[in-house]
Amino acid sequence: MDDRQARHARRWDQVADRYDELSAGIERRLLAPSRPWVAGRARGEVLEVGVGTGANLPYYPPDVRLTCLERSEPMLQQARQRAADLGRPVTFVRGDAGALDAEDASFDAVVSTFTLCCVPDVGAALAEMARVLRPGGSLLLADHVASDRWWVRLPQALADLVTVPLAGEHLGRRPAPLLAAVGLEVAESERTSLGVVERVHARQPG
């Protein structure tokens, strides 16, 4: 982790205990509708990459066996408390999306919501998610992405001038076109909110 990445990590650590409060407005209007779409499609052994404060936890089917990874320890503490409040058994691990500490083909589904906008190397993170998926397994994503409307992409590009240096958060990324390069096939996808949010269900062949 270089100095800039370490600075970004410290920022997320510092806001962890207030994150849900600070993001309540954008969560309600923009992010929340995608959580049941993504988590509800997960089956079997499931890895969530970038669990944050655990906003997806209420939406998983009750029979999934859930492992949640997060880089920020203070964020993990918030997610642990949410899981305890829900009475949900979860294995929590601290780790890096770009170097998952898991065996090849060890999960039936990998979930990531509103996380790939912040990882330093989105291609490396997607390659790791594909690596740990079993044949026929599902990669389930939701993220805010570069809009398919030019007049929305322009303010997104301007916002990146602030959000990328401040927190490593990219509003102009779009992970979906990178999935073929890591061997995954898109089964379904959709955009909402003027094309700013994209939901993707991709599969590992086999």
Side-chain angles (χ1 to χ4, degrees):
M1 185 183 298
D2 62 27
D3 290 345
R4 183 176 62 176
Q5 291 169 11
R7 184 175 70 253
H8 295 161
R10 286 194 298 272
R11 181 187 180 278
W12 292 111
D13 287 350
Q14 289 164 1
V15 302
D17 62 347
R18 297 177 292 123
Y19 180 79
D20 288 344
E21 177 185 354
L22 294 171
S23 63
I26 193 170
E27 174 69 27
R28 182 175 60 256
R29 292 190 297 270
L30 194 65
L31 312 185
S34 293
R35 298 192 186 282
W37 191 99
V38 171
R41 284 165 166 74
R43 299 291 185 272
E45 296 283 349
V46 179
L47 172 66
E48 181 172 344
V49 177
V51 68
T53 63
N56 292 327
L57 295 180
Y59 303 108
Y60 284 104
D63 57 345
V64 303
R65 295 170 297 282
L66 189 57
T67 300
C68 291
L69 176 141
E70 173 58 48
R71 178 178 63 179
S72 167
E73 180 58 35
M75 288 282 191
L76 271 180
Q77 292 173 10
Q78 300 295 316
R80 289 188 187 103
Q81 184 59 56
R82 184 169 296 193
D85 292 343
L86 292 169
R88 168 135 229 163
V90 180
T91 299
F92 289 101
V93 294
R94 188 176 180 190
D96 182 354
L100 298 177
D101 186 14
E103 298 293 327
D104 293 357
S106 52
F107 291 96
D108 299 300
V110 176
V111 168
S112 181
T113 62
F114 310 106
T115 295
L116 290 174
C117 54
C118 293
V119 300
D121 186 337
V122 67
L126 289 172
E128 280 291 272
M129 293 177 192
R131 178 183 67 80
V132 303
L133 272 177
R134 291 171 179 153
S138 295
L139 177 62
L140 298 157
L141 304 176
D143 225 316
H144 55 75
V145 300
S147 175
D148 52 0
R149 295 158 171 83
W150 70 265
W151 49 274
V152 179
R153 286 198 304 273
L154 179 58
Q156 286 180 304
L158 294 173
D160 271 356
L161 297 176
V162 176
T163 60
V164 174
L166 178 65
E169 185 170 8
H170 298 255
L171 302 183
R173 276 183 176 170
R174 187 175 174 230
L178 305 177
L179 294 174
V182 297
L184 299 180
E185 301 171 348
V186 175
E188 56 181 327
S189 66
E190 62 184 45
R191 286 186 180 230
T192 67
S193 306
L194 297 177
V196 168
V197 172
E198 186 168 34
R199 307 162 182 166
V200 179
H201 180 184
R203 291 193 182 278
Q204 181 75 275

